[in-house]
Amino acid sequence: MLRNCQPRLATATALAALSIAACSSLEPRPDLPVATAVPVSTGSALDRVIGDAEDRHPGQSGFRLVREGPEAFAIRSRTALAAGRSLDVQTYIWHNDATGSYLAVRVLEAADRGVKVRLLVDDMDARAKNYGFAALDAHPNIEVRMFNPLESRSGVLRPLFEAMGSAQRVNRRMHNKTWIADNRIAIVGGRNLGDEYFGASEEVNFTDLDFAMVGPIVRDASASCDRYWNSPLAYPMSILAPEAVSPQALQTLRDRIAAQLGKGGESRFVEELRQNDAVQRLVEGDWPMVWAANYRFVSDDPMKALGKGGGIAGSEVLALLGPV
């Protein structure tokens, strides 16, 4: 009798799972006003330093290949400290470890000064940190959006069922990594935000590369960032988790980060930053770049996440790199 019931139970469970999956599709995002990067000006420290360099190289952009993790971290930290108008960040992963928390502090300090901050994070990893990103969104000068989010914001089973019903969409993620300050300097490349990407992990570290860029190409990077920010797949945290976006949550986040960094403020990584030659050259303003007029900034269409197009035909990046 029990053996005869097992197939029926399995069938009922499967049907229930499929039913839940069918009901777990992401609701279309409401229409939102189109937003664009804050234009360049002349009022910030970055305007003065980088603007002078641009004037000396008309029609060109400057490039620096950033190999070392500590230098990559220091550039992001110092540009956030120097920003006077805007900070636009795209990333696939933002850990809440030491370096990730340091950068969160720099972002909050910039926002406290009146800098307009936009954070666009892929939702695959960020969903587990929903509380932190929602807390940042509570700041009046910070907007946080999740790219291609899961509808469920907590739990384990619902996202699995959601993935069953929307496998093609859920499996396509945003791996763009962009850090743009005042529309004057951009850092793009392979590094996410976290200890193992900056050479700060005690266990394992990744070898990545970034390009630090100044000049007109930064405005190209900002245009790409705008395209992703305004995509129907970029959902504001205020829509995804409105109950978690509150001043109380923001204060709790500030307190948690302060306690975390208070314990590890004199870490090995902090000491390495003090001794790192590339970082010291950056601090002293000795930061050579290669200037060129022949360049092109390319990124894929954010709507590729919906499965439109495949291979070279569906990717601007692959089409550029592939055979003619």
Side-chain angles (χ1 to χ4, degrees):
M1 191 72 177
L2 289 175
R3 285 195 300 270
N4 291 336
C5 289
Q6 285 176 349
R8 297 179 183 177
L9 179 60
T11 301
T13 302
L15 289 173
L18 290 173
S19 176
I20 294 174
C23 296
S24 299
S25 60
L26 186 66
E27 291 293 327
R29 193 201 72 178
D31 289 336
L32 297 171
V34 174
T36 56
V38 176
V40 296
S41 185
T42 58
S44 75
L46 292 174
D47 289 323
R48 292 188 291 274
V49 175
I50 298 174
D52 289 345
E54 288 189 33
D55 291 341
R56 295 193 299 270
H57 299 86
Q60 295 182 312
S61 291
F63 302 87
R64 177 176 175 83
L65 187 62
V66 182
R67 299 180 179 88
E68 297 184 42
E71 182 184 7
F73 172 82
I75 295 170
R76 289 167 172 83
S77 177
R78 294 192 69 83
T79 53
L81 282 169
R85 289 185 308 279
S86 63
L87 192 61
D88 289 336
V89 179
Q90 276 181 279
T91 189
Y92 177 63
I93 292 173
W94 192 328
H95 288 323
N96 56 3
D97 53 18
T99 57
S101 295
Y102 271 117
L103 292 177
V105 168
R106 296 294 175 255
V107 167
L108 281 167
E109 289 173 345
D112 290 342
R113 296 194 307 271
V115 173
K116 299 299 182 184
V117 178
R118 296 189 299 180
L119 306 180
L120 180 59
V121 186
D122 187 87
D123 194 55
M124 181 60 73
D125 181 76
R127 177 182 173 274
K129 309 177 187 75
N130 189 72
Y131 73 95
F133 290 113
L136 288 172
D137 192 62
H139 195 293
N141 289 325
I142 300 177
E143 286 187 78
V144 181
R145 294 187 181 182
M146 295 290 125
F147 186 82
N148 195 12
L150 294 169
E151 184 179 35
S152 60
R153 306 312 300 165
S154 62
V156 176
L157 292 179
R158 282 186 60 84
L160 291 177
F161 293 144
E162 189 173 344
M164 289 170 58
S166 308
Q168 189 175 50
R169 176 186 70 83
V170 171
N171 193 46
R172 292 175 179 260
R173 311 313 312 171
M174 181 195 75
H175 286 273
N176 304 43
K177 292 99 175 178
T178 308
W179 182 286
I180 307 173
D182 283 355
N183 216 348
R184 284 291 191 180
I185 181 169
I187 302 98
V188 304
R191 285 185 175 92
N192 289 294
L193 306 179
D195 287 355
E196 64 266 37
Y197 303 101
F198 298 122
S201 174
E202 299 287 352
E203 299 174 356
V204 62
N205 289 291
F206 297 124
T207 300
D208 286 306
L209 291 173
D210 286 321
F211 257 124
M213 311 184 301
V214 299
I217 195 169
V218 176
R219 270 65 85 187
D220 296 338
S222 289
S224 173
C225 188
D226 288 343
R227 183 163 66 154
Y228 275 79
W229 183 261
N230 292 305
S231 164
L233 289 171
Y235 283 66
M237 284 302 304
S238 57
I239 291 177
L240 291 173
E243 71 288 345
V245 180
S246 69
Q248 295 80 11
L250 177 58
Q251 187 58 52
T252 298
L253 179 66
R254 289 183 190 268
D255 294 342
R256 182 190 65 76
I257 293 176
Q260 177 186 1
L261 297 184
K263 294 177 183 178
E266 294 301 317
S267 66
R268 176 193 62 80
F269 185 66
V270 173
E271 183 60 29
E272 184 177 344
L273 282 178
R274 294 194 185 103
Q275 299 178 4
N276 185 277
D277 179 66
V279 172
Q280 291 308 310
R281 292 178 66 182
L282 172 65
V283 171
E284 295 165 5
D286 178 17
W287 204 46
M289 305 193 85
V290 175
W291 290 83
N294 185 17
Y295 59 82
R296 182 178 175 186
F297 188 95
V298 180
S299 64
D300 282 340
D301 189 329
M303 299 308 288
K304 190 176 77 170
L306 294 181
K308 297 179 179 179
I312 291 179
S315 169
E316 296 177 44
V317 174
L318 289 178
L320 182 68
L321 296 177
V324 177

